[in-house]
Amino acid sequence: MIHDMQPEFIKGEYQEATLELYGGIRRRVLYNESEIPYPDGKLIVSTTDPEGIITHVNQSFVDMSGYTEAELIGAPHSILRHPDMPSAAFKDLWDTVNRGDKWQGFVKNLRKDGAYYWVKATVIPNVRQGKVVGYTSVRRKPSRTKVEESIKLYSAMIQQERA
Amino acid sequence: MTFKFTVSPDFTPDHLSGWYIFNTWLQKQTDSAIHLEIYNDFQLQREAIAHDQIDLIYANPFDAAMLVREKGFMPLVKPQGESDEAIIAVNADSAIQCVTDLKPGTRVSYTDDPDVRLMGMIMLEPGDLDVGNIQGVPCDTYILVAKHLLQGDADVGIFLAEAYDDLSEMIKKRLRILVRSQIGVIHHSLMIGPKLKDKKELFEKCLLKMAEETKGGGVLESLGFKGWEKVDEEEMEFMIDLMDTLNV
C-alpha cells in the first residue's frame, strides 16, 4: 500500500511532483533540498517479494527513511523513489535482477519528511530451491565522488526522458 | 566412524583450549567420535572442505555460502547475542579524522580474516578506496595490525571489533577509532555436514540446552560465549544473500 505524501510531514518549504511508479501506480511526492548524511558503519537492509513489495526492513532502514516499520512492510519499494532519479535506472535494476543477476548503483532516496539521502545499493535475487522468492537490497555509504558523478549523469538522463 | 570438526582459523587464541574442551563435551553428549582439527589458515581449511574431509565446522560467514550451496552443510547454532563487526582505526596522533580524509595509496593493515576485511573495505569506500588503490599491509594477527599503526608502517588498520576491544588499554590509548560497523546480522555459525545429517536434531538439542547444564556452562565460558541460539535455514540463506551483496 502506498499513499501520496502529506504536507504535514514535510519540514520547511517543498516542491511537488507526480511519479509514475512500477505497476501503474501514480504517487504525489513532496521534496526539499535537505540532505541527510548516510551514517558511518551501517547497512540499510530490506527484502521484497518478487513484485517489489517490502517484506522485511532493518532498523537502519526505518531510521533513514523516516517511515515506521508498519508503514514500510507491505508497501512497494518505490515508496523511496525520488523525482531526481531517472526511470531508466530502475528499469535497468529490474531488467538485471529479472535475469537473475546482481544490480549495483547509486540511488537518491526520498524520505517521509521530504529530505533525501544517497546510497550505494546492491540488489540480488533470493533463490530458494531454484526459484526467485524475492530480492534483498543492501545499501551502504557511497563516496562523495560517485554521488557527484551520479548527480550529473541522472540529471542528463532525466532531461533525455523528458525531451 | 570418526567425524572431523574444525574451527574457523580466526578464533581468539585465548579460546583454543576451549574448542578442545567443547569437542570433548560434544562427543560425550552426542555419543559420537569427533576429531578436532585446527588449521593455521583459511586456505588449508578450505582445501579440507573441498576434499569433503570436514563434517562439522564453526564457520566464518564468508565461507557459509560455499558450505551451504556447494557442500550441503546445514546451520545449527550461533553464539547467543554475538555478531561480527569491524573497526577502522588509526594512530591516535594521525591527522586523519574521518574516512573521507583518506587518499589513494593509503597503507591499510589487515589480517586474512575474510569477513572482517570485507566489512573494513566497505567502510573505506566513502573515501574512494578499494582493493585496487590501497597499499595492503597483510598481518598474521590483530596485534600486528595495531603494531603497524603504532610504528607508522600503516595509515589505517582493519580490526575485528572484538579483537580491537581485547587490545591492552595501553595500546588502545595510542590508537583512535574512525568507524565501527553496526551491521548486526553477520555472524559465525556452527554448521553440520551431510555425513552427520542424521544427527542434526540431536546436536541441536544438546547445544541449545548447553547453557543450562552444569558442565556445559563452564565449557561455554571457556569459549567466551553465553550460550547458543538456533539458526534456521532461512536465516542462513538471508546472511548468505547479504554477504553476496557485500562481495559485489
Side-chain angles (χ1 to χ4, degrees):
Chain A
M1 198 56 180
I2 191 167
H3 301 286
D4 285 342
M5 289 176 71
Q6 301 303 316
E8 62 263 35
F9 296 118
I10 311 301
K11 289 178 188 154
E13 292 191 7
Y14 60 85
Q15 288 177 272
E16 195 175 324
T18 299
L19 302 179
E20 304 284 344
L21 304 176
Y22 176 77
I25 304 167
R26 282 170 68 87
R27 187 187 192 211
R28 183 180 72 143
V29 295
L30 312 175
Y31 60 103
N32 58 33
E33 293 305 313
S34 171
E35 179 169 5
I36 306 297
Y38 193 105
D40 283 321
K42 293 197 178 182
L43 295 179
I44 297 174
V45 182
S46 57
T47 52
T48 70
D49 68 11
E51 279 72 47
I53 303 297
I54 298 171
T55 52
H56 163 84
V57 293
N58 72 348
Q59 189 56 43
S60 297
F61 192 122
V62 172
D63 294 343
M64 280 304 277
S65 69
Y67 292 99
T68 64
E69 186 174 347
E71 286 171 318
L72 292 166
I73 303 294
H77 215 282
S78 53
I79 192 169
L80 302 178
R81 175 83 175 268
H82 195 284
D84 290 347
M85 284 298 298
S87 304
F90 294 102
K91 185 179 181 305
D92 180 49
L93 187 163
W94 280 107
D95 288 349
T96 305
V97 294
N98 282 337
R99 282 197 308 268
D101 295 331
K102 298 171 190 173
W103 181 88
Q104 193 165 67
F106 296 87
V107 180
K108 184 177 186 177
N109 280 333
L110 178 61
R111 289 164 50 97
K112 185 180 178 178
D113 63 6
Y116 67 88
Y117 58 99
W118 278 94
V119 298
K120 178 178 179 181
T122 310
V123 184
I124 61 160
N126 305 132
V127 182
R128 307 284 185 268
Q129 279 90 46
K131 264 185 71 180
V132 174
V133 297
Y135 300 98
T136 294
S137 174
V138 177
R139 278 78 85 199
R140 55 216 222 206
K141 186 169 178 141
S143 91
R144 207 62 219 171
T145 318
K146 299 287 183 194
V147 169
E148 298 304 331
E149 286 171 14
S150 303
I151 291 170
K152 282 187 196 148
L153 174 69
Y154 294 158
S155 163
M157 285 166 75
I158 282 188
Q159 276 181 8
Q160 253 187 349
E161 284 175 7
R162 286 176 188 162
Chain B
M1 181 185 181
T2 301
F3 299 101
K4 202 186 261 186
F5 170 39
T6 188
V7 176
S8 176
D10 55 359
F11 62 85
T12 316
D14 295 351
H15 297 143
L16 175 61
S17 59
W19 284 109
Y20 282 98
I21 299 167
F22 172 74
N23 188 43
T24 306
W25 178 89
L26 193 62
Q27 290 185 83
K28 277 188 194 157
Q29 296 292 315
T30 61
D31 196 23
S32 312
I34 306 168
H35 168 71
L36 172 60
E37 181 85 37
I38 297 287
Y39 295 94
N40 286 332
D41 61 59
F42 284 94
Q43 197 45 44
L44 285 172
Q45 189 177 72
R46 285 186 192 132
E47 280 169 21
I49 297 166
H51 291 104
D52 299 321
Q53 291 165 0
I54 304 299
D55 305 301
L56 185 69
I57 181 169
Y58 182 66
N60 184 292
F62 200 87
D63 293 326
M66 175 262 291
L67 287 161
V68 170
R69 293 181 181 165
E70 292 168 32
K71 292 293 172 185
F73 274 70
M74 289 171 289
L76 282 172
V77 288
K78 65 178 177 182
Q80 203 179 318
E82 304 274 339
S83 63
D84 291 12
E85 301 291 352
I87 279 176
I88 301 290
V90 293
N91 187 308
D93 298 331
S94 168
I96 299 158
Q97 295 302 317
C98 57
V99 167
T100 48
D101 290 343
L102 298 168
K103 299 274 179 283
T106 293
R107 296 165 303 166
V108 182
S109 56
Y110 48 70
T111 69
D112 64 353
D113 188 345
D115 69 321
V116 174
R117 193 162 68 183
L118 179 66
M119 289 190 277
M121 287 309 299
I122 283 169
M123 292 195 286
L124 292 177
E125 279 182 1
D128 283 314
L129 296 186
D130 57 47
V131 284
N133 66 8
I134 60 157
Q135 279 185 56
V137 183
C139 303
D140 286 335
T141 66
Y142 288 110
I143 301 278
L144 290 173
V145 172
K147 197 174 162 192
H148 281 295
L149 292 177
L150 297 177
Q151 291 177 340
D153 304 327
D155 304 304
V156 297
I158 299 174
F159 293 85
L160 171 69
E162 186 192 344
Y164 184 91
D165 293 338
D166 284 346
L167 292 172
S168 74
E169 287 307 314
M170 199 178 75
I171 293 179
K172 277 192 281 190
K173 265 188 198 156
R174 295 170 61 199
L175 298 175
R176 176 160 41 86
I177 295 177
L178 283 189
V179 194
R180 179 189 283 263
S181 74
Q182 298 171 67
I183 297 171
V185 286
I186 295 175
H187 52 78
H188 281 56
S189 315
L190 192 61
M191 301 175 77
I192 196 164
K195 278 183 258 169
L196 273 170
K197 193 174 70 180
D198 295 342
K199 294 194 175 200
K200 183 174 181 279
E201 273 182 37
L202 170 68
F203 273 62
E204 214 169 73
K205 204 170 133 192
C206 294
L207 291 161
L208 292 173
K209 283 197 310 194
M210 191 173 177
E212 298 154 24
E213 231 216 10
T214 329
K215 277 192 183 164
V219 178
L220 280 167
E221 210 172 297
S222 66
L223 290 172
F225 300 154
K226 291 191 281 288
W228 296 105
E229 57 186 278
K230 191 172 157 57
V231 180
D232 62 31
E233 285 179 33
E234 183 48 39
E235 182 183 350
M236 178 55 70
E237 289 288 349
F238 175 75
M239 188 179 79
I240 291 171
D241 283 341
L242 196 134
M243 292 299 291
D244 264 1
T245 70
L246 300 182
N247 266 318
V248 183

